[in-house]
Amino acid sequence: MSLLEIIDLRAKVGDREILKGINLTVKHGEVHAIMGPNGSGKSTLAGVLAGRELYEVTGGQVLLDGKDLLEMAPEDRAREGVFLAFQYPVEIPGVSNMYFLKAAVNQIRKHRGQEELDAMDFLNLVREKMQIMKMDQTLLNRPVNTGFSGGEKKRNEIFQMAVLEPKLAILDETDSGLDIDALRTVSGGVNAMRSPERGMIVVTHYQRLLNEIVPDYVHVLADGRLVKSGGKELALELEAGGYAALGIYDEEEAVGRV
Amino acid sequence: MTAVAEQNAQWLELFTQQPAAEPWIQALREEAFARFSAQGFPTTHHEEWRFTNVAPVTKVARAARPADKPAAIPEQAKPHLAKYASLDHPFVALNTAFLHDVRVITVPRGATLEAPIEITYEGPAEGTAAHPRTLILVGANAQCTIVETYKGEGTYFTNAVTEIVVADSAVVDHYKIQQESLSAYHIATLQAAIGRSAAFSSHSISLGGALTRNDVNAVLSEGSDANINGLYIVNGTQHVDNHTAIDHAKPHATSHELYKGILDGQSHAVFNGKIIVRQDAQKTDSKQTNKNLVLSDDAVIDTKPELQIWADDVRCTHGATIGQLDSEMLFYLQSRGIGRKDARNLLIYAFAQDIVDRIKVQSLRDSLERTLFEKFHEHPE
């Protein structure tokens, strides 16, 4: 059985249809990149998979290991193994990173029928993962993402992913706003998590992230549909010729074209 | 007029039923009674009581039981008792008219008390009123922490007045935990006179009561510092009114005020923060913030800053916010596997966190955290 099956998925925000029939299959162990210009629906797809309320699904089906994902509340999707690394991680003043992550880990463990971690085991787990992400331990005691730099926020996302060990990781523009060193650290964290059981969807505008996280497949999303799929060489093609070579334009570019 | 006359006759009877006290106490009572009789209970036509209707309180207020023994008020209270809290406040006048037991706490000059002084007032019998009175005298350079707790069962009226004198360079932290029964009425005034270069903090936590009115008033001297904090959590048809008045009478004083409220159900909260900066009080630094988290469509909040500034070289800021739970924050927590209800509770708890963090008494902070935790976890979806 495939890890994830997206069948003719359609979604809208308000009156605007954004996803116009997405079909995608991700098998266990595969890394799929979804590229596309601004406004093509990349973040919408990521949000719909994670259960963001903003979007209304108007058609299609999404199966995670055969289970109907769209029926589930966001927390149930997470417990079933979906993880979304946010493009814009949310600041939550007053909730410590540590408390938040411990609550999340134990909810997910409970769901999997595992025993809850005690404070000591949790701390050991967290220390190990922090080292991989080259994160300062003081971040644990700070409120979630509050006052973090852009790079710290992105690292915190991948750190959470490492602790929660999802089946399906969705990275929404994780490269945006990162300098090359931070990009390498973040990509290193993601690569360390590649495994035969885990699937990943890497959403990005630019090819540079895919130099670090080399995908098995690349898909091009334009105007709410996947218009082209290929191997990792497709990303290089896009890098060389831009989306315009495929006849796809950013909205801003479209203005210039007229 | 007839109704007022009738009311006054009832009060007079109650007043005269009190066992006689020493002349200085009797004099205080009589002056206060005259002031109360002249004012009567406030109505919503009074600006200070615009949003708080005390009509339901008045019935219970009249059912005070006369004390069966004479008042025992220590002589050392004499120079200070009833010298600070203003009788222009009808409930302060009422409390003073029925002065009986006064808890007097004296901290000698230069003393540092490690352990907090705890004062607990249990509510009176069903359907009756009580007028708890506290006088706290802290000597120069002394340091202490005071925790006042109000609790009880059933329907009753607590009408409390606390006067605190913080002498020069003293450091005083005052906590008031109001966890009265949900059908009780609680009206309380805290009046602080803060000496030169002294530091005073007030933390007013309101959890119980059908109707609560808190007045926290502080008068600052030169170079003194006041931190005035409040947290109110109301649900159902609870009504809570916090009035604060910070009087910068002298230069170089600072005041920081933070009141936070969590409102659910059809509750109603009122915040009125008055800051007076007298002409003399140059270099005043004053900040006032009131933040409200509204969890239901039917809760109502009235918030009003009231700044009276007569000096020209001062810094005064104020701000009020009213908001709901942030849907992005909720989604973020849920997307990590935390259930919606837990996520909601966590965010409510987080909202109150900075007030809780300001509580320096560990045991008090722990018990408040537990109370908040239980309160939010019992909360229906």
Side-chain angles (χ1 to χ4, degrees):
Chain A
M1 195 190 294
S2 302
L3 171 61
L4 182 76
E5 253 188 287
I6 302 176
I7 305 152
D8 196 30
L9 180 64
R10 290 161 190 273
K12 63 177 189 178
V13 176
D15 291 335
R16 206 168 129 237
E17 189 170 38
I18 299 190
L19 301 183
K20 301 174 180 173
I22 303 274
N23 290 286
L24 177 68
T25 300
V26 178
K27 295 205 174 78
H28 294 90
E30 290 177 352
V31 174
H32 290 244
I34 294 182
M35 302 185 69
N38 292 326
S40 58
K42 300 189 301 289
S43 283
T44 303
L45 177 60
V48 166
L49 293 178
R52 193 187 280 278
E53 272 177 20
L54 182 66
Y55 307 115
E56 186 190 339
V57 175
T58 52
Q61 227 189 343
V62 179
L63 302 174
L64 180 79
D65 274 333
K67 287 187 193 165
D68 185 350
L69 196 66
L70 300 178
E71 281 291 297
M72 298 179 201
E75 58 268 36
D76 293 324
R77 300 181 196 207
R79 292 168 190 173
E80 284 290 333
V82 174
F83 181 91
L84 172 65
F86 281 53
Q87 181 178 7
Y88 305 110
V90 182
E91 297 192 4
I92 310 182
V95 177
S96 87
N97 228 0
M98 173 94 100
Y99 184 90
F100 156 65
L101 203 52
K102 189 159 181 269
V105 167
N106 282 332
Q107 290 273 7
I108 289 173
R109 287 182 68 90
K110 212 167 114 188
H111 183 78
R112 290 179 186 159
Q114 295 167 316
E115 252 182 68
E116 294 192 9
L117 291 182
D118 64 24
M120 209 52 192
D121 290 340
F122 174 74
L123 209 59
N124 287 336
L125 171 72
V126 155
R127 284 201 177 122
E128 178 202 323
K129 305 295 185 189
M130 283 196 116
Q131 242 162 17
I132 299 174
M133 293 312 297
K134 298 183 179 144
M135 272 173 72
D136 188 349
Q137 285 222 15
T138 58
L139 290 185
L140 270 184
N141 297 320
R142 284 172 42 190
V144 179
N145 294 323
T146 308
F148 287 27
S149 70
E152 282 174 334
K153 283 182 184 170
K154 293 300 175 83
R155 264 188 281 190
N156 197 30
E157 291 294 288
I158 305 307
F159 161 65
Q160 290 172 32
M161 171 173 142
V163 171
L164 299 178
E165 302 188 320
K167 267 199 261 194
L168 174 71
I170 304 158
L171 277 56
D172 187 6
E173 309 230 6
T174 295
D175 51 333
S176 65
L178 292 185
D179 64 32
I180 189 67
D181 288 338
L183 183 71
R184 291 211 168 110
T185 309
V186 165
S187 306
V190 174
N191 285 330
M193 295 200 60
R194 291 179 78 152
S195 87
E197 297 85 41
R198 184 170 291 129
M200 294 188 189
I201 295 176
V202 181
V203 172
T204 180
H205 187 95
Y206 301 105
Q207 191 266 340
R208 67 169 192 158
L209 177 66
L210 305 181
N211 288 335
E212 308 293 332
I213 305 170
V214 180
D216 301 302
Y217 300 95
V218 175
H219 311 274
V220 180
L221 182 64
D223 192 26
R225 291 184 185 89
L226 295 178
V227 293
K228 198 171 164 85
S229 296
K232 60 183 181 225
E233 63 289 344
L234 178 57
L236 296 168
E237 235 175 86
L238 281 172
E239 177 76 358
Y243 291 107
L246 293 174
I248 301 162
Y249 300 93
D250 264 351
E251 268 177 41
E252 304 92 274
E253 286 168 348
V255 173
R257 193 159 51 104
V258 173
Chain B
M1 278 312 285
T2 328
V4 172
E6 198 177 305
Q7 216 186 57
N8 282 353
Q10 277 184 21
W11 280 112
L12 188 63
E13 193 186 333
L14 256 181
F15 180 72
T16 48
Q17 275 173 4
Q18 295 189 90
E22 287 173 58
W24 69 276
I25 296 163
Q26 199 56 40
L28 287 176
R29 283 178 180 172
E30 274 165 21
E31 188 198 349
F33 187 70
R35 296 285 282 277
F36 173 73
S37 302
Q39 297 175 74
F41 284 114
T43 68
T44 50
H45 296 297
H46 295 71
E47 186 57 31
E48 292 286 298
W49 297 85
R50 221 174 111 201
F51 298 108
T52 297
N53 180 3
V54 298
V57 180
T58 57
K59 215 180 282 173
V60 184
R62 244 167 281 153
R65 272 191 203 148
D68 48 12
K69 55 181 191 307
I73 300 172
E75 193 68 21
Q76 80 223 64
K78 196 173 171 181
H80 296 286
L81 186 63
K83 297 287 187 289
Y84 306 95
S86 167
L87 298 177
D88 291 338
H89 188 300
F91 288 94
V92 171
L94 186 61
N95 175 291
T96 309
F98 290 91
L99 271 179
H100 188 257
D101 282 328
V102 178
R103 300 230 192 159
V104 182
I105 288 161
T106 312
V107 180
R109 150 192 286 271
T112 300
L113 303 187
E114 299 286 345
I117 299 163
E118 302 197 21
I119 308 166
T120 302
Y121 287 106
E122 297 278 353
E126 176 71 24
T128 67
H131 304 280
R133 184 82 182 207
T134 313
L135 176 66
I136 299 162
L137 305 169
V138 184
N141 277 312
Q143 284 192 32
C144 69
T145 299
I146 296 127
V147 182
E148 280 182 49
T149 305
Y150 293 84
K151 53 187 178 185
E153 276 171 39
T155 304
Y156 56 88
F157 173 39
T158 299
N159 179 34
V161 176
T162 297
E163 291 173 297
I164 304 185
V165 181
V166 182
D168 295 353
S169 301
V171 179
V172 176
D173 294 322
H174 181 267
Y175 299 88
K176 190 188 116 181
I177 315 295
Q178 185 272 94
Q179 42 194 25
E180 305 273 26
S181 111
L182 288 174
S183 46
Y185 306 113
H186 178 97
I187 294 181
T189 292
L190 172 67
Q191 182 76 42
I194 307 169
R196 276 176 76 112
S197 302
F200 172 70
S201 78
S202 158
H203 308 256
S204 173
I205 314 291
S206 296
L207 303 169
L211 182 150
T212 299
R213 163 69 178 245
N214 295 312
D215 282 76
V216 173
N217 307 320
V219 181
L220 280 69
S221 304
E222 187 165 338
S224 59
D225 178 51
N227 270 288
I228 310 295
N229 304 305
L231 176 65
Y232 43 97
I233 301 172
V234 280
N235 199 349
T237 55
Q238 278 182 287
H239 178 102
V240 61
D241 178 346
N242 282 291
H243 267 61
T244 63
I246 298 171
D247 186 346
H248 283 266
K250 297 284 180 212
H252 293 285
T254 56
S255 65
H256 284 92
E257 182 172 11
L258 176 63
Y259 267 69
K260 284 191 147 188
I262 300 170
L263 289 78
D264 204 348
Q266 296 166 285
S267 61
H268 185 183
V270 181
F271 176 79
N272 189 104
K274 186 189 287 184
I275 294 171
I276 305 163
V277 182
R278 311 250 173 211
Q279 201 164 5
D280 219 19
Q282 300 295 0
K283 304 289 180 191
T284 287
D285 184 352
S286 171
K287 185 180 179 196
Q288 178 191 92
T289 312
N290 173 228
K291 291 186 176 179
N292 297 280
L293 177 61
V294 178
L295 301 173
S296 73
D297 294 336
D298 299 324
V300 176
I301 166 86
D302 290 292
T303 175
K304 189 178 120 196
E306 201 184 321
L307 273 58
Q308 301 174 8
I309 301 173
W310 309 103
D312 52 18
D313 184 13
V314 301
R315 187 167 67 186
C316 289
T317 62
H318 66 90
T321 62
I322 299 166
Q324 293 165 317
L325 286 176
D326 184 298
S327 60
E328 270 297 294
M329 292 184 193
L330 268 176
F331 176 62
Y332 192 74
L333 294 170
Q334 285 179 274
S335 79
R336 299 305 184 242
I338 298 171
R340 188 176 174 83
K341 198 176 160 189
D342 287 340
R344 196 172 176 276
N345 291 334
L346 195 54
L347 291 179
I348 296 169
Y349 184 78
F351 176 81
Q353 191 64 45
D354 51 356
I355 296 288
V356 176
D357 282 345
R358 287 169 191 224
I359 295 175
K360 285 181 250 169
V361 182
Q362 182 73 39
S363 59
L364 193 58
R365 196 167 61 226
D366 290 349
S367 87
L368 184 63
E369 279 188 342
R370 258 196 317 276
T371 306
L372 296 184
F373 200 73
E374 282 161 15
K375 198 164 174 107
F376 299 142
H377 275 259
E378 282 165 8
H379 189 285
E381 181 75 329

